[in-house]
Amino acid sequence: MSDVFNNWVYQKSQTENAPIAIQDSLKDYSTLVQEEGGNTRIQNVTVIHMDMIAAALNQGQTPASMDVTFIVANKSNECKYLLVDFKFNVTSFKNITSNVSNDSIKAKYNSTRDYILEQDDTTSCINTAFFVFKDTNFEQIRNAWKRRNLNNPKNEAIRQSDFEKIFTS
């Protein structure tokens, strides 16, 4: 599991007041997880729905973007945005298709990061994109993910149960 989840903690208030959040982009985490094909017991967590922001800025057409972001802080109270993409519909390593490439992932991360940095010049982004998968068959999926993404450490596959620890730390 990434060091991010050992050193950073979710910041609800900062997320809800983030300069990047536009009308209706603040969403309940559990609702978004369900919309993306997953389930969770996590309650009372607000995230910024980046797909909604991307669609609003592009007149309804959604360009590639990470699904959500939220603010985390380390022990020194340094805050950063964490960028997340849900992959709950990937249920087997066979679902890691050829259209999932370093280039497509990099484009998603970069377009989301660039928007954030244009809107908020005080808070940077963690330099890793997190791709959250269901716990089921995770080891097989992660191995396929690593092969597909050339083991790029900036594209981290993480099981949902490990990812959600950031909300309960």
Side-chain angles (χ1 to χ4, degrees):
M1 186 168 58
S2 172
D3 287 339
V4 167
F5 296 90
N6 295 325
N7 300 318
W8 298 84
V9 177
Y10 168 71
Q11 302 295 305
K12 183 178 179 79
S13 177
Q14 287 91 331
T15 298
E16 291 175 342
N17 295 300
I20 68 163
I22 62 172
Q23 185 176 3
D24 298 327
S25 66
L26 292 174
K27 296 291 181 184
D28 177 66
Y29 172 78
S30 62
T31 300
L32 282 175
V33 166
Q34 288 177 349
E35 288 173 5
E36 294 285 338
N39 293 306
T40 185
R41 293 186 182 141
I42 297 294
Q43 299 294 318
N44 200 28
V45 169
T46 302
V47 295
I48 301 167
H49 191 201
M50 294 307 300
D51 286 345
M52 180 173 283
I53 291 174
L57 295 175
N58 292 285
Q59 293 80 38
Q61 297 179 9
T62 308
S65 68
M66 301 295 286
D67 289 330
V68 299
T69 190
F70 52 88
I71 296 178
V72 293
N74 63 14
K75 292 175 182 141
S76 303
N77 269 347
E78 174 189 17
C79 290
K80 291 192 177 203
Y81 288 95
L82 187 80
L83 279 63
V84 180
D85 207 58
F86 298 123
K87 297 293 185 189
F88 298 129
N89 293 323
V90 176
T91 56
S92 125
F93 71 93
K94 294 175 185 174
N95 295 115
I96 304 289
T97 62
S98 59
N99 66 352
V100 177
S101 67
N102 261 334
D103 290 340
S104 66
I105 289 170
K106 188 175 180 180
K108 278 181 117 173
Y109 176 86
N110 287 343
S111 67
T112 306
R113 182 202 59 210
D114 292 348
Y115 171 77
I116 290 170
L117 297 178
E118 286 171 10
Q119 303 302 313
D120 186 350
D121 60 359
T122 62
T123 307
S124 63
C125 299
I126 289 179
N127 201 22
T128 301
F130 290 90
F131 296 85
V132 181
F133 295 87
K134 289 181 179 177
D135 290 5
T136 310
N137 299 327
F138 177 73
E139 292 304 322
Q140 288 179 332
I141 291 168
R142 182 176 57 187
N143 290 337
W145 181 261
K146 285 182 175 183
R147 284 190 305 274
R148 193 89 197 93
N149 289 290
L150 307 174
N151 211 18
N152 185 339
K154 292 184 178 186
N155 302 331
E156 186 161 331
I158 187 165
R159 74 180 67 218
Q160 184 179 359
S161 59
D162 288 337
F163 170 74
E164 289 180 346
K165 290 176 183 173
I166 201 160
F167 300 125
T168 58
S169 306

